[in-house]
Amino acid sequence: MSEQELGITTSKEHETGEWYAELVQKAGLADYAPMGGFIVTRPRGYAIWERLQNHLDTWFKDTGVRNAYFPMFIPESYLEKEKDVVEGFDPEVAWVTHGGYEELEERLAVRPTSESIITPFLAQWIRSHRDLPMRVNQWCSVVRWEATETKPFFRTKEFLWQEGHTAHRDAEDASEETMTRLEQYERLYEDVLAMPALTGRKPDHDKFPGADTTTTVETLMPDGKSVQAATSHYLGTSFAEAYDVTYVDEDEEEQLAHTTSWGLSWRALGALFMTHSDDQGLVLPPTLAPTQVVIVPIWNEDSKDAVLEYAADVAAELDEAGVRVELDDRDNRNPGFKYNEHELNGVPLRIEIGPYEVEDDELTLVHRPDGEEATVDREGAVETVEDHLDTIYAKLYAEAEQTLEGEIREAESREEILGTIGQHGGYVKCGWCGDEACEVPIKDAIAAEIVMVPLAEDEEPIHDECAICGDDAEETAYFAKTY
């Protein structure tokens, strides 16, 4: 591949959609599948998902969650037991009607979510209060037959995710579980993806079907649109009633369990790539980068052996310390090509080693996000590299934080909401009466919606009046365009 073919040819700022599509393919993250709405996740893209998965899975297990796996097919009769789920997902469900040449006696849904196949088994497994809380999680794919344009990792008919399902004695325990998971998702964005996040509740009209409360993590993209980055639902007793999830308490009385569900999909990867990457290609935080450090030796015939030996020693030392390092000693590519290729692929830190570094017992370090260079002593390389990786993470977080802080504005009228989002994007917060009808004129005019309201239900609204209808405000609404 030539350098021209290798690089990104579109502008993130001016052609965001085209830029993103080009980034995903040229950085080796995904390809488009032959069926519309599906993608092939390439090894680099999947390796990043695995690293994200490992962080989250460890935190889940540390807080009492066990992994399981449930069938991808759900009998129609199971799905229909919870009417809100049927109504909420019906337009998006893919159905299996035949097995081979035989028509099935009962249609099978390809899971759009798994409450209706997991909850019946929780009902079987739970007998006593001693069985509670019960927490299971599965890593799997789900299918939602949405008619929207394919956008890798943001909008695909099949996507990878995790979905946790738990049962508890009472509302207090279940609500605490809901918040625990929300906080873990927020921690993932803050501490692993280098992305500041907002947390809140979905308005009642946008809750998960059948839920009492849906909490959300929202992240802002550079183009001013919000991404629903993860959700955690307190389901009350609606699913327990539908699927008979009961337990016997200490007084031998039968009680309904309270349930939760919570999930994060590979949309997190889309948000990650969109937030940090640039016109040179992929930018990744060191926490998730499959290769954290690339060493590029630069030699002429006289210095080749000495440079390669020096570079190999540095690579071995970093590798032994657990740094994910690659020594790029290909002799059929010049250093400039290698720099461009590794920048395109999102390697956070480059180490350049030529005759001068060997002679002076030094290393030249180059940061991927901004090209900052530093010449450092060879001695103590591991500690120095780890410090620089931490600095790169901090740079990425600071830039994303600066973007978010400047993109939360206030409005006191319909015209202000429309004008502000229309001109700037980002979030606009305003007083809201709580009526879904007041969202409609904003949605119809500029395709913006209420992405969240504050977590605390008793929080005073930012303004006394609803910005749309003028009635008394019940809470603060955050409007934004969304992915």
Side-chain angles (χ1 to χ4, degrees):
M1 191 183 282
S2 71
E3 290 200 34
Q4 188 172 1
E5 290 171 323
L6 184 71
I8 303 289
T9 60
T10 46
S11 161
K12 179 180 182 179
E13 183 179 354
H14 301 297
E15 308 159 276
T16 308
E18 294 84 351
W19 166 84
Y20 181 78
E22 193 178 7
L23 172 78
V24 163
Q25 292 186 281
K26 287 193 171 176
L29 302 170
D31 273 321
Y32 292 89
M35 317 81 69
F38 293 82
I39 62 171
V40 175
T41 310
R42 296 183 63 182
R44 181 173 295 110
Y46 200 81
I48 298 165
W49 176 245
E50 284 181 314
R51 295 209 166 274
L52 181 154
Q53 202 175 13
N54 289 340
H55 284 280
L56 211 45
D57 201 59
T58 299
W59 300 341
F60 290 163
K61 287 170 179 169
D62 287 346
T63 47
V65 181
R66 293 184 296 174
N67 285 336
Y69 187 79
F70 293 81
M72 71 182 296
F73 298 126
I74 302 174
E76 187 170 14
S77 57
Y78 275 55
L79 207 59
E80 287 180 339
K81 281 186 180 178
E82 220 301 334
K83 62 179 176 56
D84 288 329
V85 168
V86 178
E87 291 169 7
F89 285 103
D90 196 44
E92 301 175 0
V93 175
W95 293 99
V96 177
T97 58
H98 287 72
Y101 298 115
E102 299 292 318
E103 186 171 350
L104 302 179
E105 287 183 19
E106 181 179 7
R107 291 198 303 173
L108 299 176
V110 183
R111 60 177 169 230
T113 181
S114 298
E115 281 77 6
S116 51
I117 190 71
I118 292 178
T119 314
F121 285 91
L122 296 183
Q124 286 184 36
W125 301 336
I126 293 166
R127 288 286 172 264
S128 158
H129 62 91
R130 296 182 186 86
D131 298 321
L132 298 174
M134 184 171 286
R135 301 180 177 98
V136 296
N137 174 66
Q138 70 170 352
W139 294 92
C140 63
S141 71
V142 292
V143 172
R144 296 180 186 173
W145 215 265
E146 297 178 284
T148 52
E149 178 189 354
T150 307
K151 193 176 190 70
F153 305 109
F154 280 109
R155 287 285 179 194
T156 49
K157 288 186 170 74
E158 180 189 26
F159 55 88
L160 297 180
W161 78 344
Q162 61 73 215
E163 50 178 319
H165 299 264
T166 69
H168 304 264
R169 293 174 58 128
D170 54 35
E172 186 180 348
D173 279 0
S175 295
E176 190 176 313
E177 177 80 15
T178 305
M179 292 308 299
T180 294
R181 304 309 158 196
L182 185 73
E183 287 159 9
Q184 288 178 331
Y185 293 143
E186 183 183 19
R187 176 185 172 194
L188 182 80
Y189 280 92
E190 300 266 347
D191 295 354
V192 180
L193 278 71
M195 295 170 61
L198 301 178
T199 56
R201 283 179 295 121
K202 287 294 180 186
D204 284 348
H205 63 266
D206 196 26
K207 292 187 302 191
F208 178 80
D212 181 281
T213 306
T214 288
T215 63
T216 182
V217 175
E218 299 285 329
T219 57
L220 188 69
M221 297 299 97
D223 63 358
K225 292 182 181 177
S226 184
V227 171
Q228 179 181 292
T231 49
S232 183
H233 317 285
Y234 166 50
L235 302 174
T237 56
S238 59
F239 283 84
E241 287 166 9
Y243 297 98
D244 197 27
V245 187
T246 61
Y247 67 94
V248 176
D249 67 16
E250 292 92 336
D251 300 322
E252 298 298 315
E253 297 287 330
E254 190 173 82
Q255 304 288 351
L256 273 173
H258 292 247
T259 64
T260 78
S261 66
W262 25 277
L264 175 138
S265 79
W266 69 13
R267 187 181 289 180
L269 297 188
L272 174 80
F273 304 149
M274 179 76 80
T275 296
H276 298 309
S277 301
D278 58 25
D279 290 352
Q280 279 66 57
L282 186 63
V283 176
L284 294 172
T287 41
L288 292 179
T291 301
Q292 294 173 308
V293 177
V294 62
I295 298 175
V296 179
I298 306 155
W299 68 79
N300 54 36
E301 281 311 307
D302 293 339
S303 62
K304 181 176 181 179
D305 290 346
V307 167
L308 286 178
E309 183 181 350
Y310 187 91
D313 285 346
V314 175
E317 187 177 333
L318 293 175
D319 181 63
E320 192 175 327
V323 176
R324 298 187 293 279
V325 61
E326 177 189 336
L327 172 60
D328 189 349
D329 57 2
R330 292 175 293 173
D331 55 12
N332 63 332
R333 294 296 191 192
N334 64 44
F337 182 94
K338 294 178 185 180
Y339 297 166
N340 290 336
E341 185 177 57
H342 293 297
E343 285 178 5
L344 175 66
N345 293 338
V347 180
L349 184 65
R350 181 171 77 238
I351 299 179
E352 299 171 7
I353 294 174
Y356 292 119
E357 280 81 9
V358 174
E359 187 179 328
D360 296 338
D361 211 22
E362 291 177 339
L363 306 170
T364 296
L365 310 185
V366 184
H367 293 193
R368 167 63 183 89
D370 57 4
E372 181 186 335
E373 286 191 25
T375 302
V376 301
D377 290 339
R378 163 71 180 83
E379 190 177 342
V382 169
E383 191 176 323
T384 301
V385 163
E386 287 174 345
D387 285 347
H388 278 263
L389 292 175
D390 287 345
T391 299
I392 289 167
Y393 189 95
K395 284 180 179 179
L396 293 178
Y397 187 90
E399 188 171 346
E401 186 175 44
Q402 191 173 2
T403 299
L404 175 63
E405 284 174 353
E407 296 293 337
I408 303 175
R409 301 177 177 88
E410 295 182 17
E412 294 190 56
S413 69
R414 175 181 179 274
E415 292 70 29
E416 275 189 45
I417 298 170
L418 294 174
T420 304
I421 295 179
Q423 184 179 353
H424 303 288
Y427 298 105
V428 170
K429 54 183 182 177
C430 62
W432 177 50
C433 64
D435 188 343
E436 182 182 359
C438 284
E439 182 186 55
V440 175
I442 308 299
K443 190 179 276 191
D444 287 350
I446 56 169
E449 60 191 66
I450 299 172
V451 295
M452 67 173 216
V453 296
L455 277 173
E457 295 189 33
D458 57 356
E459 185 175 313
E460 286 292 315
I462 188 171
H463 301 126
D464 293 336
E465 293 181 358
C466 175
I468 296 93
C469 71
D471 288 351
D472 289 346
E474 295 292 326
E475 49 195 349
T476 301
Y478 286 70
F479 278 91
K481 293 184 177 183
T482 64
Y483 274 102

